[in-house]
Amino acid sequence: MAKTADLAALMGAALAEGALPGEDEGFGADQRVEAARFVARAMERRAAGTPAMLLEATTDAAAGRMHRLAIINDDMPFLVDSVAQALAADGVHLYRLIHPVVLAVRDGEGVLQSVADKDASAEGKRESVIYIEMAALSAKAAEALPTKMAAVLADVRAATSDWMKMKVALSDAADGLPDGEGAALLRWLLDDHFTLLGSEMRAADGGRHDCLGLARTRESSLISDGGAEL
């Protein structure tokens, strides 16, 4: 297992380097040390293909009572925006969000063995580290937050991992249409003019099949009944 002190030191540097202009305001050396220790605890163990999360109440000299959240996940697109938008939808005010990416080596049980800067010539898999400081949550909101974040991250994973399959499905749909505006539109969308998040087929009786991306994580159809009738 990676040494906690070494991990905290590396994460302190990663948090400092990963902060965008304005994100390090009020984030002095002492604050970075505490944040790095918190992130190090979150990183210690993570099962393959699943996020690790740690949420705790804390205090800050400027903000007073607050919560902080660490999310460790395989690096992939859409992570930061999806997490931030989910919190904003619940009216959670964010004080700070920093997103370094590191190279991590884990054993078969997900225990962290070593970690290095993402630009280092070292072994390891790219892992996303999202560190958030936010306004204090109610007890009910704090209890619900990990489940909500897990669902958001599952959506991101589904959309990202099925991206190529969705491109194939869109290409097949275009090829199945006669030459004309409909086929041309689908091919234009396919030419990186559209972000594919979900795909499904709807049968005449309302049954769903070939669900990909967000459609794979939903119990109900992404297509409204009105849209299915078009």
Side-chain angles (χ1 to χ4, degrees), residues 77-201:
F78 310 132
L79 286 173
V80 173
D81 287 346
S82 298
V83 167
Q85 289 174 12
L87 292 170
D90 284 346
V92 178
H93 179 69
L94 304 187
Y95 299 133
R96 193 183 321 280
L97 190 159
I98 304 178
H99 178 226
V101 176
V102 298
L103 292 174
V105 175
R106 297 183 181 274
D107 66 14
E109 296 182 350
V111 177
L112 187 67
Q113 302 300 303
S114 66
V115 65
D117 183 270
K118 72 179 189 307
D119 296 323
S121 57
E123 295 182 357
K125 185 175 181 180
R126 287 171 64 94
E127 291 194 2
S128 160
V129 178
I130 300 177
Y131 173 73
I132 297 174
E133 294 176 358
M134 67 190 83
L137 304 171
S138 67
K140 183 178 180 180
E143 182 180 3
L145 186 62
T147 299
K148 181 180 182 67
M149 288 295 103
V152 170
L153 296 171
D155 282 348
V156 173
R157 184 176 293 276
T160 301
S161 61
D162 285 353
W163 180 69
M164 284 303 301
K165 294 178 182 179
M166 288 188 284
K167 292 195 72 171
V168 171
L170 186 57
S171 178
D172 290 344
D175 292 342
L177 293 175
D179 288 338
E181 291 184 355
L185 173 61
L186 294 187
R187 293 192 177 98
W188 181 83
L189 294 175
L190 189 60
D191 191 24
D192 294 330
H193 289 105
F194 189 74
T195 300
L196 302 174
L197 298 177
S199 170
E200 65 180 49
M201 298 294 291

Side-chain angles (χ1 to χ4, degrees), residues 51-63:
M53 281 180 277
L54 186 61
L55 175 71
E56 74 173 14
T58 185
T59 58
D60 178 80

Side-chain angles (χ1 to χ4, degrees), residues 120 125 182 202 229:
K125 185 175 181 180
R202 281 281 294 271
E229 293 173 1

Side-chain angles (χ1 to χ4, degrees), residues 16-35:
E17 182 180 347
L20 297 175
E23 290 180 338
D24 57 357
E25 184 176 346
F27 199 49
D30 292 343
Q31 289 83 0
R32 284 199 303 272
V33 167
E34 286 300 314

